[in-house]
Amino acid sequence: MTRVLLTGFAPFDGESTNPSWQAVRAAAAEPPDGTELFAAELPCVYGASVAVLRAAIEETRPEIVVCVGQAGGRPDLTVERLAVNVDDARIPDASGAEPVDEAIVPGGPAAYFSTLPVKACVAAVRAAGLPASVSNTAGTYVCNHVFYGLAHLIATELPGMRGGFVHVPYAPEQVLDRALPSLPTDAVARALREIARTAAHTRTDLRVAGGATH
């Protein structure tokens, strides 16, 4: 059994829900064969989010961590390739903090690559009939902050653990009055199970095109 920790975020920016946490909780309730899934909710707060993540890792001792966040406006699940060492907030976090051009880890590497099989995870989600793609930017908000914090923890303290980040679209109830793409929670949960299963059984990623021209 491979132990996998899934994390999602609490609501932010005036929303009453966050599909990342809804889907993570649903996915963990029905783990795929060969995996044991744990779920943790992170605050949408710089600094505190990584502290809660660290505590969840210490409690569950996972072999794999998949952090999940909302990317409103994206039409599909996007498996992130890269975390960058910068906080640059367009909007305040849930505590009111709004850092601009601040290093997440002063003196740390400019960026980290995901240690998940990014392209294999995308392929597995697509094979399940759900939309997914590789993303080359996790933004500079709390999602990227958590992704970088996770990657730095793996690189400096827990080299035997693997991890990465996945962004999910809005839930349908969030866009009733807005012409924006969305995916139902149960579909996102199915996709996360495929990602957990694939990460647990795949060490070498697929060598297929997944880049972008801009």
Side-chain angles (χ1 to χ4, degrees), residues 42-208:
L42 308 182
C44 190
V45 177
Y46 290 103
S49 53
V50 176
V52 174
L53 171 62
R54 176 187 283 272
I57 290 170
E58 291 174 351
E59 179 182 353
T60 60
R61 299 295 179 185
E63 297 161 71
I64 296 169
V65 180
V66 181
C67 296
V68 185
Q70 172 188 292
R74 292 189 186 183
D76 57 355
L77 276 88
T78 50
V79 184
E80 299 294 342
R81 194 199 304 252
L82 194 70
V84 296
N85 190 13
V86 64
D87 288 335
D88 192 3
R90 180 182 60 81
I91 58 174
D93 70 8
S95 74
E98 199 168 359
V100 173
D101 297 341
E102 294 183 10
I104 299 168
V105 178
Y112 285 111
F113 283 105
S114 173
T115 48
L116 299 181
V118 170
K119 294 180 178 179
C121 288
V122 167
V125 174
R126 288 178 173 175
L130 298 166
S133 61
V134 176
S135 170
N136 297 300
T137 176
T140 56
Y141 195 51
V142 183
C143 288
N144 176 75
H145 182 91
V146 164
F147 184 12
Y148 188 93
L150 169 64
H152 189 70
L153 181 62
I154 291 170
T156 60
E157 299 181 40
L158 297 170
M161 193 173 73
R162 293 182 290 142
F165 199 96
V166 177
H167 268 120
V168 302
Y170 282 127
E173 61 267 25
Q174 292 177 285
V175 296
L176 294 177
D177 299 317
R178 296 180 285 180
L180 292 169
S182 65
L183 275 178
T185 297
D186 61 343
V188 176
R190 283 194 289 123
L192 294 179
R193 291 187 198 103
E194 288 299 318
I195 289 170
R197 180 187 60 77
T198 302
H201 295 98
T202 306
R203 287 281 183 170
T204 303
D205 204 1
L206 298 178
R207 189 172 176 82
V208 296

